[in-house]
Amino acid sequence: MKARSLTGVIPVLMVVVLLSTLSQLLHGPSRTETLLNLPELAAALVALFLANQLLNHVTRTGFHNEEAARRTRVLGLFLIFGWPLFTLMESLIRTARQVDAETFSWFGSWHIGGWPFIGGVVLLVFSTALRESAEMAAEIEGTV
Amino acid sequence: MTIEVHLDKLLAERGMTLTELADRVGVTVVNLSVLKNGRAKAIRFSTLVRLCEVLQCQPGDLLSYRAG
């Protein structure tokens, strides 16, 4: 599958996720639960937005350039450091709602999420390889 | 320290244009211009061989090293 054919998929996916959340907020059985899930949903939307930015750039200029490496690195860093912050926010909101002081724990329900972390590390490794290939491409460009 | 390319001088001596040389060597005028203006990062041996064949010169006539 070519990258170009994927460029329209991510924005559509983002709209579907937003509409689904809105629908749950308006008509769902547990609005509170939907609201509590908003930080993780926001994290997913930010990740999709960054992935879309990367994909758009790659379809225009190709993979072997500094900018593609930078965008891949940004997405990787977001998955490693940004995603846990959003889930921490969700955890804080959940625990703040607890009224029982005996069992109260700020970080009790915080889950960092294994797959975003692993995905982020993979993307960071990939961005390093991309940076190397961008340097090689620049050298080849200057070869007569 | 730089490697200087004396394509200008060799072309003038042989009364040849850059376009004509590019055609005969089999590279684009743009690439040959990059070489002529000292912006090339590397030169293929195959290109060097063709340049020497067409210009009937040695690699040393085409390139020279300048220290400093």
Side-chain angles (χ1 to χ4, degrees):
Chain A
M1 188 183 277
K2 283 189 172 180
R4 193 177 296 278
S5 60
L6 281 171
T7 48
V9 173
I10 294 178
V12 169
L13 197 63
M14 288 167 78
V15 170
V16 167
V17 169
L18 278 173
L19 287 178
S20 157
T21 310
L22 196 65
S23 165
Q24 278 178 24
L25 275 173
L26 293 173
H27 311 292
S30 172
R31 288 179 193 177
T32 318
E33 189 55 34
T34 309
L35 280 171
L36 286 172
N37 285 333
L38 281 182
E40 193 153 11
L41 175 78
L45 287 175
V46 171
L48 283 173
F49 173 76
L50 292 173
N52 191 48
Q53 294 284 93
L54 170 65
L55 202 57
N56 281 336
H57 176 76
V58 166
T59 50
R60 280 198 316 271
T61 63
F63 246 124
H64 307 282
N65 55 68
E66 272 293 325
E67 184 59 19
R70 190 190 67 80
R71 288 183 188 215
T72 308
R73 194 166 58 248
V74 167
L75 180 56
L77 288 173
F78 173 76
L79 290 178
I80 292 172
F81 299 109
W83 192 288
L85 284 180
F86 279 88
T87 55
L88 175 64
M89 198 189 308
E90 186 179 322
S91 166
L92 292 176
I93 296 168
R94 278 181 191 279
T95 49
R97 290 179 67 245
Q98 287 179 351
V99 286
D100 184 2
E102 298 258 331
T103 58
F104 186 83
S105 161
W106 282 108
F107 302 105
S109 61
W110 187 28
H111 59 284
I112 292 175
W115 285 112
F117 181 79
I118 292 167
V121 171
V122 169
L123 283 174
L124 282 189
V125 172
F126 189 54
S127 78
T128 309
L130 275 183
R131 210 164 50 243
E132 291 287 326
S133 76
E135 282 172 18
M136 279 173 67
E139 293 238 331
I140 289 168
E141 255 176 43
T143 303
V144 177
Chain B
M1 54 185 180
T2 51
I3 297 290
E4 291 183 336
V5 183
H6 308 294
L7 211 48
D8 265 344
K9 193 180 130 210
L10 288 166
L11 283 171
E13 282 171 5
R14 282 149 184 79
M16 202 183 279
T17 64
L18 199 67
T19 312
E20 193 184 342
L21 181 65
D23 278 346
R24 290 179 65 181
V25 170
V27 295
T28 63
V29 182
V30 175
N31 269 350
L32 212 52
S33 178
V34 165
L35 180 66
K36 185 171 77 86
N37 297 323
R39 286 185 284 115
K41 287 182 181 169
I43 181 166
R44 290 189 187 91
F45 271 114
S46 56
T47 309
L48 192 58
V49 167
R50 284 294 296 147
L51 281 169
C52 289
E53 275 173 6
V54 174
L55 295 169
Q56 296 195 324
C57 65
Q58 291 297 313
D61 300 327
L62 197 62
L63 308 169
S64 67
Y65 166 75
R66 186 164 59 88

